[in-house]
Amino acid sequence: EGDWYPEADTTPAVVVQAFAEEGRALQIPGPLIRVPAGTEVRATVRNTLAKGSAKLYGLHGRPGDGKQPLEIPAGDIREVRFRLAAPGAYHYWATTTDRNMFTRGGVDSQLSGALVVDPPGEAIADRVFVMGLWVDRPLPGPSAPNGRMIAVINGKSWPYTERFTYDVASPVRWHLINTTFFDHPMHLHGAYFRVNGEGNGEVSTTLAVEKQRLVVTERIPQGDTRTITLLLEREGRWLFHCHMLSHMSAEYRHIEPGGPGTFQPAAGVHHA
């Protein structure tokens, strides 16, 4: 447990639980696990919280069965060994409040990390983006009049997120991983992108060419992943962001349940 700075390191902090490599500061998202297909991974996980068990999901083989979590009581250590044979983008995540990914929004909401398996011999420059969401009230529940929400990509909120510079027509591939309790319609300005692959954290599928979508907005459901190729055909300065109203503007910051595991902008400001 420690301080998280979703904006500049000189701005107010939020106390959260997060992963960290041993002897290093906490990371949001957690340490990236990236290996060529066929690699055996050996991991040691220690729960350094003063109290409470952690349920850790996703540290298992692909293909594999991830229904049973790795339970780690406070102060305990668990060792796992698994083989990653199926290329794709996946994730691992944990909860200390005994919630699932669709209702995890508070102190344990940033306990997430990316797991990427590359095809053997493949060498392509790309980036991995993990989406996170934090709120200061229990989920599910009614809208809080003064509730706070922090939406982040790789642990930072706009305008403290990363900037990228690419040449026109250069090949750019991104892996997008949604570890939040919201669906996110991710929208790119200035260019189309092609959806090459999709998954749900347990299974990752490369789409056949005829099924690859050419879009400017791709909805990524809770817990899902996408692999996309940007088609950078013109110069300019462009944004990539969630197109949900409540994640673009503070005017739409209040949310309310819209059904089991789903939340929408409060009805009073929902223009749709």
Side-chain angles (χ1 to χ4, degrees):
E1 190 170 81
D3 290 337
W4 170 40
Y5 296 88
E7 296 185 341
D9 291 346
T10 56
T11 56
V14 178
V15 176
V16 295
Q17 298 163 353
F19 290 106
E21 293 186 51
E22 192 164 15
R24 299 187 180 183
L26 59 82
Q27 290 181 233
I28 297 177
L32 170 65
I33 299 174
R34 186 164 197 175
V35 297
T39 301
E40 182 184 69
V41 175
R42 302 177 186 180
T44 301
V45 188
R46 182 195 309 268
N47 181 355
T48 63
L49 296 175
K51 60 180 180 179
S53 292
K55 291 184 177 181
L56 175 58
Y57 296 82
L59 288 188
H60 62 81
R62 305 296 199 286
D65 185 355
K67 294 180 179 179
Q68 294 299 319
L70 189 67
E71 296 204 35
I72 314 174
D76 272 16
I77 300 173
R78 295 288 185 271
E79 294 184 357
V80 292
R81 179 183 296 188
F82 54 92
R83 186 171 299 278
L84 296 170
Y90 307 94
H91 52 64
Y92 65 91
W93 63 279
T95 176
T96 60
T97 56
D98 206 25
R99 293 179 176 270
N100 58 41
M101 189 180 287
F102 303 155
T103 57
R104 185 188 61 149
V107 67
D108 59 352
S109 63
Q110 304 308 305
L111 282 168
S112 304
L115 194 160
V116 177
V117 184
D118 294 313
E122 182 176 271
I124 183 172
D126 59 14
R127 293 299 299 246
V128 180
F129 300 99
V130 178
M131 288 171 269
L133 203 58
W134 173 91
V135 293
D136 63 352
R137 58 183 176 76
L139 293 176
S143 298
N146 296 307
R148 293 179 297 162
M149 177 189 290
I150 301 173
V152 295
I153 296 178
N154 285 351
K156 288 293 184 179
S157 180
W158 172 265
Y160 301 93
T161 42
E162 297 172 273
R163 267 69 164 172
F164 301 97
T165 301
Y166 299 113
D167 292 330
V168 169
S170 60
V172 176
R173 186 177 68 180
W174 289 355
H175 299 292
L176 311 174
I177 300 174
N178 181 6
T179 62
T180 78
F181 56 88
F182 259 110
D183 295 0
H184 296 284
M186 300 304 293
H187 175 67
L188 178 65
H189 290 231
Y192 284 87
F193 61 88
R194 192 178 301 279
V195 181
N196 309 116
E198 59 187 14
N200 61 8
E202 296 296 319
V203 176
S204 185
T205 302
T206 299
L207 299 175
V209 174
E210 65 273 14
K211 294 185 177 181
Q212 294 181 5
R213 301 181 288 278
L214 186 63
V215 298
V216 294
T217 306
E218 172 73 7
R219 173 178 165 269
I220 306 179
Q222 304 162 351
D224 272 20
T225 66
R226 295 289 187 271
T227 297
I228 67 173
T229 300
L230 278 59
L231 305 180
L232 305 177
E233 298 175 337
R234 62 178 71 118
E235 296 179 8
R237 295 190 177 104
W238 310 109
L239 289 174
F240 181 70
H241 64 94
C242 176
H243 217 280
M244 181 176 287
L245 294 177
S246 60
H247 298 169
M248 287 194 294
S249 170
E251 295 178 7
Y252 302 98
R253 68 187 181 277
H254 304 308
I255 58 176
E256 62 183 16
T262 65
F263 294 81
Q264 298 296 332
V269 294
H270 192 344
H271 291 180

